[in-house]
Each structure stands twice: as C-alpha cells, then as structure tokens.
Amino acid sequence: AIQAAYDNASEDTQSEIVGAVFGDVIDAMTAAQARGAPLGPEAIRDLIRSTFGGIDPMGAMMGMEGDDEEDSDDSGEWLTDDGEDPEEDEEDEEDDEKEDDEEEDEVDEEEVLATGPKRRRMLRRPQTGVSSGSGGQNPVSEEATPQSTFKAAVKQLEHDTGGCYLPLARVELPSDVKEITASWVLASAKHLLVPRMVGNVAVKLSGQIKQTTINWMGGGTSLGNTVWNQYMLPHVSQSRKFLSQQKWHEAFRHLLGMHLFAVWSGGDWIQDQEVYCDYPIFSGWFMHYGDAWRQLLGQSDEDLGLALEGGIPGGYRETLKESLARWERQTNGLLRDTFDEFREDESKARVRIFTSEENSDDDDEEEEEEDEESDDDRNEGDDGDE
C-alpha cells in the first residue's frame, strides 16, 4: 500500500510519505532507547526490518540488497521540466506483486497509511499515462502530462525492442502530449538503446556511484578515494575478467556503467583523490579501461546488441563511440594539465580507446606549443602596455 501510494504521488507528497515512514522508524528507535535496548548499527537495521514487516527498505532503496540484476536504479536527470526519470519497472514478477497489493489495499483519493505506532494521512494522486490492461498500448488519459507520456512512450519502446533506453542528452518535451510516441523518443535526443540486461545493470551501477557522490558527508578527496577504491578499480578488473572469458554482455554492463557515471560526474573523481600517489595504479587504470573498451568494440553489433530491431537505422555503435571519444579527449586534457608532473619515470596517464600513444604524444606537444604561443602573445601585449 505504501509503495502504491508512493508511485502515484506527486514529488511533494512522495517526500511526505518517506518522512512519515521513517518517522515510524524514529519512533521505534526512541521506544527502544527508553527501554535501554542497545542501538548499534545492527540493532537499528533490525528495527527497520521489524517496522517494515521483515523488509529491508534501506537495501531496496539503494539497490544494494534484494534486487535482481535485471532491475535498475537510475539516478540520471533525463527531463527538462522536473528531472523525473523514466520508470524502470521491467519485471513481470514485480508488476504482479504490485497488482496484488493494489487489489488487496484499494484506496480512494484520501488514503490512510498505517505504518507503525502512528497513522498518518496521505493524499494519493491518480495515475496518468499508461493504464493497466491496455494490451501493450499507451492510451493518453485526460490528465496526462508530457513527463508521464514520455515515460509511457519509453516503456513502450523498451517493450517493443527488448532494450534499455539511455539518453545521452537532455530531452526537450513538447507541450502537446499527442506528439510523444515511441518513434518521437527515438528522434528526440541522442541516446543509446542497448540490451535490457546490459542497460539495466549499467544504470544500476552508475546510480549507485551517483548516490554515493550525492550523499557523501565528507570531503572531496575522501569521496574521490571511495569512488576509485569501491567502484572504478574493482569494476575495471571485473570487466577484464569477463572479456577474457568472452562474456561480452557482462563486460559491457560494467564498462557502460562506469562511462555513464564518468560523463555525469564531469571529472571531479579524477581530479580530487589520492590514488595518484601510487602512480602505476593510477595510470594503469586508464590504460586497462581503454584496453577493455577497445577489445569490447572489436566485437560485432550482434554480439554486443548495438543494433536492436526497432532502434535507429544503423544501430548505436557510432553514437557510443562518439560519446567515448568526447570523454577521452576531455579526460586526457585533464590528466595532462593536472597529473603529468607527478609521473616521474612512469608512463603518462592517458585514456587510449581511439588514440595511440604516438598520436596522443603528438597532440600533447601541439597543445603545449599552443600554450607557449599564447603565453608569448600575452607577454608581448604586456610589453606594449608598458
């Protein structure tokens, strides 16, 4: 009942629901403390489980426990109006469970949620966009919004293609919801459409790193260290292992998840960290990451699922390569300007998915010459002013 109300609520009401639910956890903790019960991490976790009837909500919300690999936990900002994400509700089992819950706990416009020692009143917004039992169609209700219609169109596209839609640019939504169809989604913005098992796991990995970044309470350097040690280093190793076993989809999931986060983060995790103090490990990550992508891109579109039927003509190889090449250029510039001075006798830290070491060195020399010329021009200007 809580999940059904949450899914159909506005953003403000969703916040109220979360506050109400965890208010009950706080009540339980206060009562336990009054009884003199210990409140260590495990005890608090047990209290949460008991409050939610045996469910571990923290694990479920963060996608850390109790989730199949097919599920996704997307934290990306897709839409221009309110940043809502298209729903990732692919599993028939989850749909059946939600339908059962809704049948058992039907509610009207005002629904009373009993979630522990106190009962709190919540307003439930009628669901818009896709109606259940539509036979795969996406009828637009009178209350449909561009956002809900976009979600429905994405869901229909993913249903028809067996893929996972990953936008690489912000989507400008038209005001007329009738224009928003699966075909419109394909033409609206640069995106990838990859096999569901690849995309969902990649989005989940990217979302976990994003949530770690967003919720971090410490400093930037400690966050950078955590991103490297908890995610980037282990997942590159995992990707290389899968590649050695010729498990292309498994390797694709990890590499794509890291790429989605790297594009989203803007390079802060590279610039502010202490991993570079062990320069061979630092530079080795970029070498292994580039090698892994090169090996993966050496496989066919059929093996990787880059040309799903129902996607854009010609498939998504060039779109993926363009996104990787842009990140490679930006990252190599950051590495050259920030970390080359620390390398001593070690090789330069560079991403080499599309550029060879010779070409990369030539680019570095050209950029250094341009920088020197710019400095000379500025000096001449200063002399003239004097």
Side-chain angles (χ1 to χ4, degrees), residues 8 12 28 31 78 165 176 194 256 261 314 342 348 355 377 386:
N8 292 284
D12 291 340
W78 288 18
Y165 173 85
D176 186 358
V194 297
L256 184 58
F261 168 74
F342 301 107
K348 297 177 181 178
T355 57
D377 292 340
E386 290 177 1

Side-chain angles (χ1 to χ4, degrees), residues 49 75 90 133 174 188 233 300 315 322 325:
R49 289 194 183 100
S75 304
E90 303 292 348
S188 61
L233 291 169
S300 67
E322 180 183 332

Side-chain angles (χ1 to χ4, degrees), residues 90 92 95 99 129-140 149 151-161 180-183 196:
E90 303 292 348
D92 295 337
D95 292 338
E99 289 174 6
V130 183
S131 62
S132 60
S134 60
Q137 300 300 315
N138 291 318
V140 178
T149 309
K151 291 179 183 180
V154 167
K155 192 169 184 178
Q156 185 65 48
L157 174 65
E158 293 179 331
H159 176 272
D160 293 343
T161 62
I180 305 175
T181 63
S183 298
R196 187 172 300 156

